[in-house]
Amino acid sequence: MITVNELALSFGSGGQRNKVLNEVGFSVKEGEVFGLVGESGSGKSTVLRCLAGLYSHWEGEMAIAGQPLGRKIDRERCRLMQMVFQDPYGSLHPRHTVDTALSEPLKIHKMDNIGERVRQMLLKVGLNESFRYRYPHQMSGGQRQRVAIARALILEPRILLLDEPTSALDVSVQAEILNLLAELRARDGLTYILVTHDLGVVVHLCDRVAVMQQGRIVDTLDSASLSNGGATHPYTRSLVDATRSYSREMAAV
Amino acid sequence: ATPRDQLVIGMNMNNLLSLDPAGATGNDVLGVVANLYDYLVELDPHDLSKVHPALAERWEIAPDGMSLTLTLRGDARFQSGRALTAADAAWSLQRVLKLNLAMASPWKSYGFSAGNAERLIQAVDARTLRITLPEPTDPKMVLYTLGTSVSAAILDRDTVLSHEKNGDLGAAWLLTHAAGSGPYALTEWRAKDAMLLDRYDAYWRGPAKLRRVVMRHVPESLSLRFMISRGDVDLAAGMAGPDIEALRHDASAVVQPVLRGTSYYVAVSMKDAKFADKRVRLALRKLIDYDGINKAIMPHYGVAHQRPVMIGLAATLPDPGYKLDVPAAKKLLAEAGYPNGFRTTIKVLSDPPMINIATALQGTLAQAGIEASIQSGTGNQVYGAMRDRKFEIVVGRGGGGVEPHPHANLRALVYNPDNRDAAKLTNFQGWRTSFHSQEINRLIEQAVRERDPDTQNAMYREVQQLYDSEVGAIQPISQMLETVVLSKRVHGYVGHPSATTHLRDVYKD
Amino acid sequence: MTAAPKPDAAPATPPSPRAAGPATAGSALRESLRRALRHLLLNPMTLAGLIVILLLIAVACFAPWIATHDPLRQDLAATLQAPGAAHWFGTDEYGRDTFSRLVYGARTTLYIVGLVTIVVGPVGLAVGATSGYFGGWVDTLFMRITDIFISFPSLVLALAFVAALGPGLEHAVIAIALTAWPPIARLARAETRTLRKADFVAAVQLQGASPLRILVRHIAPLCLSSVLVRLTMNMAGIILTAAGLGFLGLGAQPPSAEWGAMISAGRRYMMECWWLVAMPGAAIMVVSLAFNLLGDGLRDVFDPRS
Amino acid sequence: MTNTETKLEVEDLSVRFATRDGLVDAVRGVSFKLGREKLAIVGESGSGKSTVGRTLLKLHPASARIDARVLRFGDTDLLQAGEKQMRAIRGQRMSMIMQDPKYSLNPVMKVGDQIAEALVAHESGRRLPRAEVRERVIAMLEQVRIREPQRVYERYPHEISGGMGQRIMIAMMLIPNPEVVIADEPTSALDVSVRAQVLSVLDDLVGQRDLGLVFISHDLNLVRHFCDRVLVMYAGRVVESIAAADLDHAQHPYTRGLLAALPSIDVRRPALPVLQRDPAWLTN
Amino acid sequence: MKAFWARAGTMRTRLLSTLATLCGLLVLTFFIGRVMPIDPVLSIVGPDADASTYQQAAARLGLDQPLWMQFGRYLGELAHGNLGTSLLTGNAVSADIARVFPATVELATLAIVLGVLAGVPLGVWAASRRGRLVDHVVRVISLAGHSTPVFWFAMMGLLVFYAWLGWAGGSGRIALMYDGAIPSVTGLLLIDTLLAGNWDAFANSVKHILLPACILGLHSMAYISRMTRSFMLAQLSQEYILTARVKGLSEAAVIWRHAFRNILVQLLTIVALAYGGLLEGAVLIETVFAWPGFGQYLTNSLLLGDMNSVMGCVLLVGVIFVTLNLVSDALYQVFDPRMH
Ligand SMILES: Nc1ncnc2c1ncn2[C@@H]1O[C@H](COP(=O)(O)OP(=O)(O)OP(=O)(O)O)[C@@H](O)[C@H]1O
Ligand SMILES: Nc1ncnc2c1ncn2[C@@H]1O[C@H](COP(=O)(O)OP(=O)(O)OP(=O)(O)O)[C@@H](O)[C@H]1O
Ligand SMILES: [Mg+2]
Ligand SMILES: [Mg+2]
């Protein structure tokens, strides 16, 4: 479904040139949930943004369903692929109601039956009619994230790029969102690329996972091998250890 | 307080741009030039028709009235130390014509030109200057010009020529420098800040009484008023009416008004179809609140006067007694086809009292249904539009008046020998307003050639009557008063109606 | 550079059972308006500002009924009369009633303020938002132009403009507007630059929205509040600049009653006739103070930190 | 850990904020005692954890109304203490480690100076010589396991990583030797990999100095191993107080729900159990 | 080395865009000057000159040539470092500016110093007591200062402190008796009198400058205190302030050592801009106080249509603003460690 090859990207120019992505390559099968983990600043979000088309100065190749991706966001790409952002507070326009946010893409793509589609979509993400005319500040973080997911799904894309969709949320809310994502995938056969720093989330939701370090993919493995000790790459191991290690260390004290 | 041996003058120096006698315009420069340079003759400040000797000890008018011969004193010296000769005088006058700058205009009106200047203005010997008139005119006029116009100042030819650049006869240098024989020498001039004049000790009349004259740029009248009452300024010129009025009651100050030959007037353009109609002009004449304006606005700026010829000349007729008469004006307007009035614009200088006159006029015009909008601007903008004949009404000030001669006023305000646009007689306000009367023109031309004073005066009276009956395009309202406020400490200051006020006899306690 | 402002700091309250109340578009808007209004009204300073401005508007609207005399009616026989029963605030040098002129002057003042705001707000917002959103050479070009207008001596610009078009209120207003938009543009640009990186902009980009749509529907409304606040703060400056132009004889033309022009004309008489300057001066001060107070209050309403 | 001496005593603390929409209850009737132990306060966002922490130092905003039956620190009644008294306590006897080192350090001051400031803030009369201050700061930096402390002293906050920043924060708060430290989510802004290092530094120092630690967090798994006792907060109330070791046997459905909702690296569940909130939790 | 070239590169683009700004400024001024209905020729020859005199003067100034040629000629002169001569007075524009500018510099500098000295503490004070009485009082004072016509202040100041009390020196920069007695070295009278060792003259010039400077300073004070307050409020809500409080620092230390140091750069920037505004010349103040400064010069030149002088002035103001921009950038580099 998605193939990324030798993807490279730099920011800045001259002396401040900063190579953020280096020969990144992976492929994702249709219907798969692909995880992307790594420490802060390793370039996870950047990969997603390249795929989505938010950056245009990348080098390398990216293709979806065999079709190479261009550098511009075109209508087709919008219909195929959407993204959910990490921060539920920043990804919704503070002065737009839920209804405005959800109907806008429909209007842009000149789709019909807007009211009904919005209603359906809200139900799908577990929000009832009463949320339709609320502003972001009138909703909790979890509810906002549901709206963001609804907005991403309203154009009926095949691929969803998820950039740490739950890391700003409480555990209890995180569980709801993760369940929702799992449910949507099961129902509509979506393909996800999920960026996270929580290995627990990876194990819970992903089929395969790539580990990033300083702009490179250093390891790609089945997510099951994280829990059963199958990770061999030293960096992956250190991540797994860190997730558990404070318990060991503390126990030692 | 100011030092005892210095005269400190506070005034707005914004319009003091050039000191070159050939090119300096405006009134402010007259007072400066009169003290830096000498003239051949001087007019008596108390009676302008009296001409006193100055550099010229005596003069003779040829019996045919076609030439003037002046005999210069032998003891005058320039501030450079050079002796002043008739050659300097001739050169100075020729220079004005050759440069053809602003100040050449009175001379050109007598028929002089750059071409004939050297021939007609000649130094016969070191002490004799002969001026031959190119065409018949009243030689008294020429004599007055010699005594009042900036252009008649006598320059130190060698000093000026030593600063000549590209054959400009020293014009660039003289903008900011002076080379004269007057009682004071220019020490420093910082434009729009201050000008210092220091006594020239070898002045031929004997040194001036004060060591130094300082002119200071004080643009705000109120500041001037404070300075006068605190004694930081000895003489304030160009103050606003209310401040003068206040100082009139101040024990430390003396208010000294001097009547000038210039008028405040309302002018209309007869190119405009409305004002081409005599009835409309007559209506306008009846829509000016002469009394109100002169009582409420004009104190210290002017005195009521409704004739084009200035007050105090033998030929001047008494005021015709025009009055605000709205019903009559309305009737006239109705007759002319404007029963409901019309719209028009008044161009006016944004300074008092002009802007105030315009505002008052606007008010009375409105009573007759004439809706006038005011466009205020700098002199440049207002008179520029007038020169281009692009205006409807202008409230302004003008009318020659340096020379105490009816011709000076009439030439400036009424005379218009050629009314075509192409003639571009921009220096005549008659032309600017497109007022054209063959008969008046003929009378003016004749009168200035008339050698008999009584006949001449009679002709000038006739002109005034004709102007009244033909309803001229320019309606004078007041004759200008130049009011200065003096500190009580200042003595011997006599303001000159021609603005050539001499400071050489001024002293202080 | 300051740290990027934290996203809308509204704390996530624990989902309470009554969160699912009925809500419609209208009520949501009304609700936020009501809050803003209440906040405005609760602050005594802001309230005072608001009242003065409302009063000003009322005075302007009902000038003919409030004024005791015809503001243009001259009476050269009764000039410079001190305040008294016949003329509450005295008369000016043409014998016109100062109080009535002051009342009618409210119209002119409002007109100036309104017109400048109408010109400056949209121009500044459009230039700033476009410049900030596109960046690159568009930004460079627009910012150079803004720089030119900022470093142009404002007086020259105003004078030149008035000189070119002739003095008059409209021209003075345009001239003031010409000098007043660059700061607004800079403000809008700075705001846009932080917004441009916001996730919700990325989200609409991904939905295929055109730059124009993003600018108009997403970015401009968010810049609007700070622009609006800045504009209300500018009002005082605008009135004073107009007064300053009036002082130089370039503002409103006689006989129109404009406060700045009234001061400028009255200053010649101010030693003897204090009311000629004091009355319009006080009016300018009170009104611009009111606009300032309102601006401060608005800022508090819009500022999420407060 | 022994729990002999009570350093901090809180009884029936409630905090309300005056807002545009009236009073908001942030903390309602919270009571606990702190000895020489590591006490965790957990709960979801907005449950009032930080408010409790700040109230202890009386660093709440002016809009807060504080009521309590007892609010005592050692022998000081915090309720009565004036600003001057509080200043003497803050830093010197009780201090607080902030969540995010990026925003919690003054960006235009060298980090060494910021630590030194904490040390000299409370000296009265006798002034420590500059050299000695610097020495002690550097020694402290070494204690929080910073390599090349001399050079780090000269750095500005933007020149150091998050983990290092948090260790500097710890150094700054511990250098005056306080009796009680409040740590408000000290590691939630950090990467998993750095988190362990910072925690172990904190753990070491707290152990060495024998002080009371209030550890605010939303991460039950972390708290379970790091602390001695856990207070679970929900909507401003303490719904459960339990020894960390017994967390698996927690009684309250809220605590249990939180534990269950955590995705685990070890077991994969088809769906995560979602917390069912009970309005009754707000009242009893 | 690489960093050096990178920096040189940005310097070059910076310089180029600066030049572009100045060029734009010139072009705009030039064409404004030519379309303005103020006719410099008329200013020279006076309203009563006849047509031949008028044409002669116009030709001498080259105003009869096509616009682009006039502009080209001006640029040519400029390239040789020549600002041209004033159309009306024939003085070199550069000499004129060198004469009037120091007067304005002196006034503006003193005013901004006074404005900062009063405005910053007031702003900080108001911010630290937000919403309390002090805040409101400071707000009203500063807003009143900002909303009162400056010429009203000026005239009232003159009336009270000059005419009544006699404390102030009144119009002008110095009493006349010192005029010409002080050799002009810097053009700044306060400094020149000191250099000349003339204490009386110094005291006198202080007496003259204090009132206008205070009035201008009052206006700056209003603006600076408003801005200081809002900058401080932004900082005081930052996390690091809490950290400082946790350390047990006194309120003064928190405010001045922590918050204030963080607003320093922003503050310097707006002060620099305000200073730039003052350097444009406060024509109203200058008129009332007969201060022979830049603002009056510029206004007058403009009203008389002396575009050579106006161009020179605009260029100077442009350079000032560009310089202030560069300076405030440099300040960021110096004071904000994040920019190193
Ligand atoms: N617009 C940009 N300009 C310059 N540098 C950038 C930009 N966006 C990202 N970077 C840099 O690229 C690197 C990778 O950033 P990215 O956001 O992809 O990391 P991440 O893995 O998502 O980290 P996190 O977990 O913190 O979200 C970082 O070093 C960041 O500083
Ligand atoms: N200054 C304030 N004004 C009004 N309400 C406030 C203020 N500070 C906090 N609150 C409210 O108090 C409650 C508790 O906030 P607090 O910050 O203590 O929560 P928390 O448990 O620390 O949450 P988090 O995990 O998100 O940090 C929240 O509902 C919050 O909205
Ligand atoms: Mg990221
Ligand atoms: Mg918290």
Side-chain angles (χ1 to χ4, degrees), chain A residues 44-45 86 163-164 195:
Chain A
K44 309 181 294 287
S45 303
Q86 167 176 7
D163 189 358
E164 312 203 23
V195 166

Side-chain angles (χ1 to χ4, degrees), chain E residues 22-32 34 61-63 65-79 308 311 315:
Chain E
L22 290 180
C23 271
L25 213 55
L26 276 183
V27 174
L28 200 62
T29 321
F30 189 85
F31 289 99
I32 281 181
R34 299 306 131 123
L61 297 179
L63 291 175
Q65 287 168 345
L67 271 188
W68 58 269
M69 250 172 84
Q70 296 180 30
F71 190 54
R73 228 180 31 185
Y74 183 83
L75 283 189
E77 292 271 301
L78 198 64
N308 271 2
M311 299 274 278
L315 199 61

Side-chain angles (χ1 to χ4, degrees), chain C residues 11, chain D residues 17 19 26 44-51 61 185:
Chain D
F17 290 103
T19 68
E44 59 192 351
S45 182
S47 54
K49 309 181 296 286
S50 302
T51 306
E185 312 210 19

